Amino acid sequence: MNESLPLPTPSRAGAEVVVQGTVAEQRWASADGRFAVIRVELEARSESITVIGDVAGLAEGEDARFRGAWEEHAKYGARFRAVGWTPVLPTTRAGLARFLGSGLIPGVGPALAERLVGTFGDRTLDVITQQSARLREVQGIGAKRAGAIAEAVRARRADAEQLTFLHSLGIGPALSRKLLRKYEGRTVEVLREDPYLAAEEVRGIGFRTADQIGRAAGIATDDPRRAAGAVLHLVGKGADDGHVFLPIDVLRDGARTLEVPEDLVDPAVETLEARQMLIVEDGGVYAPPLHRAEVRAAERLAALSRPRAGRESAARALTLPTELSDQQRDAVRAALTNGLMVLTGGPGTGKTTTVEAIVDSHTALELRVTLCAPTGRAAKRMSEASGREAKTIHRLLEWNPATASFSRDAKSPLDTDLVLVDEASMLDLPLARALLDAIPASASLVLVGDVDQLPPVGAGQVLRELIRSGTAPVVRLDRVFRQAQKSAIVRGAHDILHGRVPSPTPRGDKGPGDLFIVRAREAAAIQERLVATLRRIPEAYGLDARRDVQVLVPMRRGPIGTENLNQVLQDELNPSRGGPGAGLRAGDKVMQLRNDYEREVFNGDIGWVRRVADGVTYVEFDSGLRSYDADALDALALAYASTIHKAQGSEFPGVVVVLSGAHHVLLNRSLLYTAVTRAKRLVVLVGDERAIARAARTGRERQSHCRLAERLIGATTSPS
């Protein structure tokens, strides 16, 4: 028992410490099951403390050791915020009786617990786990019941031992639950044997946590397992950063930052290649799925890039709408006569009108058309604009949970003559490969996207690589139509493309205006102006600040990153109606953080929490109502504020873009341009005008290690 910690003093507050005691009661728990407030009795001092955090898994009467820090709350007073906890099996007679009778052991109530402890004393747990047949000495226990009690206590003891090990490594409750669910009773054994491999199998561990485990397990700095783990980590991180492969010298540089001896990198790569965990080609190190995706995508794009014989005369004979510009007419004819084509252009240049003309021309020739987009919001917008059904690419390809693969592929292609993909700038290589596999050889593909936007979040910039290859016709619409020129948003977007700070709506303009700049430099002032702006918008524009307006920020962390702003905006836009306010609430705006094929919810999808009950959170997405238990909630995040990357493919009536000097590493033209072009009716730039200027003037683009263009050139120029 930890007897050295009284209630917090100014010198101790905030320092990480450990306390131990018995759970006396659960005072409050968030409905999503992630957060609780409990009262813990410190037996040695005959006093109780309030513990808050991810402690909802503890039952009344259970002993536990908590790792965390003291804090002083203006309303609730002194509290201990736990960042980790482990159950502690009792050793005293009173503790044993309380533990066994708490309800944690099925079939044992308080009376039977007292009889057990009265019979076996301090050795009760040892007797239960090692000599379970002796339990029949206690009145009311038969052979079957004795076996069930022994099994439950053994499981609880094993969990306690494993959690104690994980706790000693600084691993928190949520990640501990993942590890125990993945490896069950082998968790300690697996982590001691090769924690670096576990880092690749369990989301959330990462190399540095694995390294901490490895060091604790006695794995040396120059151990080959550590070098292999570092290489896998770097290749995976490269994919997260948009790279399809990493050059070997980049891997060596990255290994140095992880304190892995450089001379161990090449042998580690060779070992991993022999184990088929990596593919090495021309000095580039690939994860095997990305190598297969790059090779296959190049083959399929090359096959589609051939002209469609026999359609030239039909294309010339078509009567196209008179309002189309020459560029738009060229695009319609190119789509009809080529198996592969790219249509790109900025806001106000008529992409939507051109898409409608492409679809109508194919329909007039009795050709079947399939419309799709990478995200649900983009697909929905496409449906509304065209009056035709548009699907997400994932839904179009018909994910099959039984086989963990798409039903539509090369063996079962789509029934179509044209596949038209909107927001194609978001297409990463794995998704593009899956789509290309499902397009029949006789069909055509038109990719529509704004190439000046940010590249996709995933690995491989497919649209840019295709344009770079020069193997398909590219029609770039660059004329801004007169009606669109009236919008300060459209004018501002094109200003950004030319390296200029967007000009706000002039004061003398008729109407309410659609682009404004609210200046503030310090983080606290930016937060204050942001909240004031969101309060003003409903009155001035009739937009719902929660549903119609999206706050966009370059990064997640920091005082004006999404993580902090979401807490501020949750309290402003959807205040808690009870409890301390932690956790998700009914009415919250949330975002899916990774693809979930089982739920048919994908990275970047926005939903609304409808209700939270019995530890289950129910979220309404465009695809329907989905449920999440407490352990699945790490796939969701509040979405009042979103990173600009995550908002790609979406449009909102109103957008508030927050920019600060603290974001300087990420500020560039594509970022600002993408943020501004997410808005349909209103853009407000809130923050430091110097940061806005820096973003507009910085033309830096993220370079992706990818060989799709080179493979495509080779495939289209080599003899068939």
Side-chain angles (χ1 to χ4, degrees):
M1 186 72 66
N2 189 318
E3 301 182 31
S4 61
L5 265 165
L7 291 177
T9 63
S11 62
R12 289 185 183 270
E16 186 168 292
V17 292
V18 175
V19 298
Q20 185 172 314
T22 304
V23 180
E25 65 172 325
Q26 187 178 90
R27 290 176 169 171
W28 184 86
S30 64
D32 61 21
R34 286 202 294 188
F35 185 90
V37 178
I38 59 177
R39 183 168 64 84
V40 174
E41 293 179 347
L42 304 178
E43 292 179 359
R45 292 189 171 273
S46 300
E47 63 187 1
S48 63
I49 63 172
T50 299
V51 177
I52 65 172
D54 185 354
V55 294
L58 284 165
E60 293 181 12
E62 193 166 11
D63 287 354
R65 185 179 297 113
F66 303 92
R67 176 172 55 88
W70 291 104
E71 65 180 30
E72 187 71 30
H73 191 277
K75 180 177 179 181
Y76 299 105
R79 310 187 300 182
F80 188 83
R81 181 174 291 276
V83 296
W85 60 267
T86 53
V88 177
L89 296 181
T91 55
T92 66
R93 290 187 173 219
L96 287 165
R98 185 172 56 239
F99 168 71
L100 292 170
S102 66
L104 292 168
I105 310 303
V108 180
L112 182 54
E114 292 286 353
R115 293 202 299 275
L116 281 164
V117 175
T119 303
F120 302 116
D122 295 347
R123 296 188 62 251
T124 299
L125 293 184
D126 290 334
V127 171
I128 291 173
T129 56
Q130 299 170 21
Q131 299 172 287
S132 60
R134 290 193 59 194
L135 298 184
R136 298 172 67 181
E137 298 173 18
V138 178
Q139 181 184 356
I141 298 180
K144 186 175 180 180
R145 197 176 202 184
I149 292 171
E151 184 179 348
V153 172
R154 287 189 194 112
R156 199 67 184 175
R157 175 176 275 183
D159 284 350
E161 290 170 351
Q162 292 188 105
L163 284 169
T164 299
F165 173 75
L166 297 174
H167 171 87
S168 70
L169 300 172
I171 296 174
L175 185 52
S176 293
R177 287 194 294 268
K178 281 186 181 180
L179 287 163
L180 293 175
R181 192 165 57 246
K182 171 71 175 177
Y183 299 117
E184 298 178 335
R186 298 176 52 249
T187 301
V188 175
E189 175 189 344
V190 168
L191 292 182
R192 282 180 170 154
E193 176 63 27
D194 193 345
Y196 305 101
L197 184 59
E200 298 304 308
E201 295 178 339
V202 180
R203 180 184 293 273
I205 294 185
F207 177 79
R208 297 201 182 275
T209 301
D211 208 27
Q212 183 181 350
I213 298 169
R215 298 293 180 88
I219 295 177
T221 304
D222 59 354
D223 191 293
R225 288 172 294 179
R226 184 171 183 268
V231 168
L232 288 175
H233 164 75
L234 291 167
V235 172
K237 185 176 183 299
D240 291 341
D241 291 338
H243 302 294
V244 181
F245 70 91
L246 288 183
I248 190 69
D249 59 334
V250 172
L251 274 178
R252 295 186 190 115
D253 291 343
R256 278 198 297 272
T257 67
L258 299 175
E259 299 178 1
V260 172
E262 186 178 330
D263 60 354
L264 295 181
V265 173
D266 288 28
V269 170
E270 291 174 7
T271 299
L272 292 167
E273 185 179 21
R275 293 166 61 186
Q276 299 183 331
M277 298 179 72
L278 292 176
I279 291 176
V280 181
E281 182 183 298
D282 296 332
V285 182
Y286 291 80
L290 288 177
H291 184 269
R292 290 193 293 269
E294 187 177 82
V295 171
R296 180 61 177 164
E299 292 172 351
R300 293 295 300 125
L301 287 168
L304 287 170
S305 66
R306 300 183 179 92
R308 291 290 176 254
R311 290 190 189 172
E312 294 84 354
S313 58
R316 286 194 297 269
L318 273 176
T319 302
L320 299 177
T322 56
E323 64 269 18
L324 293 182
S325 68
D326 290 341
Q327 283 183 326
Q328 291 172 311
R329 290 168 181 270
D330 290 342
V332 174
R333 293 193 176 97
L336 279 168
T337 57
N338 291 276
L340 180 62
M341 178 205 140
V342 172
L343 175 66
T344 186
T349 58
K351 285 201 306 294
T352 300
T353 301
T354 308
V355 167
E356 290 174 0
I358 290 172
V359 171
D360 289 344
S361 65
H362 280 73
T363 303
L365 295 177
E366 299 183 348
L367 296 170
R368 297 163 298 174
V369 176
T370 298
L371 305 180
C372 61
T375 68
R377 282 180 167 255
K380 184 177 181 181
R381 190 171 68 250
M382 197 179 191
S383 294
E384 292 169 349
S386 66
R388 298 167 180 263
E389 182 184 25
K391 297 180 179 180
T392 63
I393 296 173
H394 296 93
R395 181 164 287 187
L396 176 67
L397 299 181
E398 300 173 14
W399 177 258
N400 184 342
T403 62
S405 62
F406 291 115
S407 297
R408 293 292 190 171
D409 55 19
K411 295 179 180 178
S412 180
L414 299 165
D415 300 318
T416 190
D417 298 303
L418 170 70
V419 174
L420 193 149
V421 184
D422 198 11
E423 296 289 351
S425 63
M426 296 183 64
L427 262 183
D428 61 24
L429 196 52
L431 185 58
R433 177 261 172 97
L435 176 63
L436 289 164
D437 268 346
I439 298 175
S442 59
S444 302
L445 173 64
V446 173
L447 298 177
V448 182
D450 188 343
V451 77
D452 292 311
Q453 289 185 23
L454 285 169
V457 175
Q461 303 179 21
V462 174
L463 186 65
R464 293 187 186 192
E465 288 287 294
L466 179 56
I467 293 172
R468 186 166 72 88
S469 75
T471 57
V474 177
V475 177
R476 177 157 194 157
L477 304 176
D478 54 16
R479 172 194 164 193
V480 180
F481 286 87
R482 184 178 303 171
Q483 186 66 26
Q485 290 175 4
K486 296 178 182 179
S487 165
I489 296 175
V490 172
R491 296 195 304 269
H494 288 276
D495 281 341
I496 294 167
L497 288 181
H498 290 91
R500 299 189 295 266
V501 174
S503 299
T505 300
R507 290 184 178 275
D509 269 21
K510 296 180 180 179
D514 59 358
L515 193 154
F516 301 92
I517 298 177
V518 177
R519 293 170 175 81
R521 290 189 175 178
E522 301 302 321
I526 291 174
Q527 274 194 32
E528 182 182 324
R529 296 289 177 87
L530 169 62
V531 171
T533 297
L534 292 174
R535 290 174 179 170
R536 169 70 176 149
I537 285 173
E539 176 187 347
Y541 287 86
L543 298 176
D544 185 315
R546 180 171 55 168
R547 180 166 292 278
D548 299 328
V549 180
Q550 182 63 53
V551 176
L552 298 178
V553 192
M555 62 199 308
R556 290 171 46 220
R557 293 187 172 85
I560 46 176
T562 59
E563 291 176 356
N564 188 56
L565 287 182
N566 269 315
Q567 296 300 321
V568 172
L569 298 178
Q570 183 190 39
D571 290 337
E572 172 69 23
L573 300 174
N574 191 31
S576 174
R577 291 171 174 80
L584 296 178
R585 311 164 186 167
D588 271 337
K589 183 181 190 179
V590 295
M591 178 180 287
Q592 179 76 15
L593 299 179
R594 55 181 178 267
N595 290 341
D596 186 331
Y597 294 100
E598 300 299 320
R599 291 184 174 89
E600 288 191 90
V601 184
F602 303 101
N603 190 359
D605 285 357
I606 289 178
W608 298 89
V609 177
R610 292 305 180 204
R611 58 192 172 94
V612 187
D614 301 322
V616 180
T617 302
Y618 298 88
V619 182
E620 185 78 41
F621 292 96
D622 287 342
S623 57
L625 189 67
R626 302 291 183 262
S627 62
Y628 295 76
D629 61 22
D631 287 344
L633 285 175
D634 62 348
L636 295 176
L638 289 171
Y640 300 104
S642 163
T643 63
I644 298 168
H645 259 109
K646 288 286 189 182
Q648 284 179 271
S650 297
E651 274 190 357
F652 310 93
V655 164
V656 180
V657 186
V658 179
L659 294 176
S660 158
H663 302 142
H664 66 93
V665 176
L666 297 174
L667 296 177
N668 63 67
R669 194 172 300 157
S670 293
L671 186 90
L672 181 58
Y673 175 77
T674 302
V676 167
T677 54
R678 298 308 88 207
K680 292 190 284 188
R681 289 178 51 190
L682 174 68
V683 172
V684 183
L685 302 176
V686 177
D688 191 336
E689 67 274 18
R690 296 171 300 182
I692 298 171
R694 181 188 180 102
R697 292 167 186 161
T698 303
R700 180 179 67 251
E701 293 181 358
R702 186 180 76 184
Q703 296 302 312
S704 168
H705 293 296
C706 181
R707 291 174 176 151
L708 180 61
E710 286 76 12
R711 292 186 193 276
L712 189 48
I713 293 168
T716 53
T717 56
S718 61
S720 56

